Amino acid sequence: MEIQSDFTVVVATEEHTPYAQQICDEMESSAKARGTGIAKRSPEYVALKMREGKAVIAFDAEGKWAGFCYIETWGHGEYVANSGLIVSPHLRKSGLAKRIKQKVFELSRTKYPHAKIFGLTTALAVMKINSDLGYRPVTYSELTNDEEFWKGCRSCVNFDILTAKNRSNCLCTAMLYVPPKAEEDSNNPDAPASQY
């Protein structure tokens, strides 16, 4: 496979909404090919993330769609998830996933500077990228307890495992990035309560 470095990775906008169906189709077929679970997203949901400025999209040198990821907030903005990472199959292992994750991480930190950023994944490559960004593996109890987040797992093929374990673990690895100020506050019992 030819490694390509001249990708364009930008914050998605209204103009990118026509790619929503293609993105959702690729997410689903990729999950099936890997035999792993994934929370299904609708094209309408993906398009909404683009309109809200809460997604990044990548294009190759010819301007063809190459990858995508979006952000979602939970627990009244205390937590942010970088979700739905997908790279066009012929561009995998090109370094594009890392560029997309970096861009969506920066977008998350800009929009929600005090939020903890988390992700659930079965992909070793994503775990490595997250680790390079400062995430660390955590137990599920350190993630949001927002019921709306956990409802998103219902469409995953592994949902029965998650519920059988009372949401204490599943096949995904949970990873969490704690911003420096939040880390300081959690280590200082005398610090005032965080304002999220």
Side-chain angles (χ1 to χ4, degrees):
M1 184 194 82
E2 182 180 324
I3 301 298
Q4 180 177 339
S5 61
D6 50 350
F7 297 108
T8 303
V9 183
V10 298
V11 176
T13 65
E14 174 75 37
E15 74 176 280
H16 300 114
T17 58
Y19 294 99
Q21 183 66 57
Q22 180 182 0
I23 290 165
C24 290
D25 291 347
E26 190 52 53
M27 285 178 183
E28 189 171 352
S29 65
S30 177
K32 285 179 184 173
R34 291 188 330 259
T36 59
I38 190 168
K40 290 184 181 163
R41 288 91 172 171
S42 70
E44 295 77 20
Y45 185 78
V46 167
L48 176 65
K49 291 292 153 195
M50 293 174 177
R51 287 186 190 100
E52 293 176 336
K54 295 180 180 177
V56 299
I57 192 164
F59 298 94
D60 67 13
E62 287 89 43
K64 294 180 185 169
W65 174 80
F68 179 80
C69 192
Y70 70 89
I71 62 177
E72 186 62 85
T73 58
W74 307 101
H76 306 289
E78 183 177 355
Y79 290 89
V80 171
N82 294 160
S83 300
L85 175 65
I86 190 72
V87 171
S88 184
H90 70 285
L91 295 172
R92 292 182 185 150
K93 300 188 183 194
S94 66
L96 180 57
K98 185 172 187 171
R99 292 203 31 210
I100 292 170
K101 284 289 284 184
Q102 178 69 44
K103 185 77 170 178
V104 80
F105 180 80
E106 291 166 4
L107 181 63
S108 299
R109 295 285 292 127
T110 299
K111 283 187 166 286
Y112 306 97
H114 304 292
K116 296 174 184 174
I117 305 172
F118 73 99
L120 291 171
T121 187
T122 57
L124 185 59
V126 174
M127 289 179 221
K128 169 77 169 89
I129 293 167
N130 285 350
S131 181
D132 290 347
L133 290 170
Y135 290 68
R136 60 184 171 81
V138 295
T139 62
Y140 279 35
S141 65
E142 292 185 61
L143 304 180
T144 181
N145 59 6
D146 191 317
E147 288 300 320
E148 288 303 308
F149 169 76
W150 295 103
K151 282 181 187 176
C153 293
R154 287 183 179 165
S155 61
C156 176
V157 296
N158 300 316
F159 185 67
D160 289 344
I161 296 169
L162 180 68
T163 54
K165 302 224 178 200
N166 201 24
R167 287 197 326 222
S168 64
N169 63 22
C170 195
L171 299 183
C172 283
T173 296
M175 299 189 78
L176 182 71
Y177 170 86
V178 180
K181 177 74 173 119
E183 186 77 44
E184 288 171 25
D185 291 348
S186 68
N187 291 329
N188 180 1
D190 298 325
S194 297
Q195 298 296 313
Y196 291 106

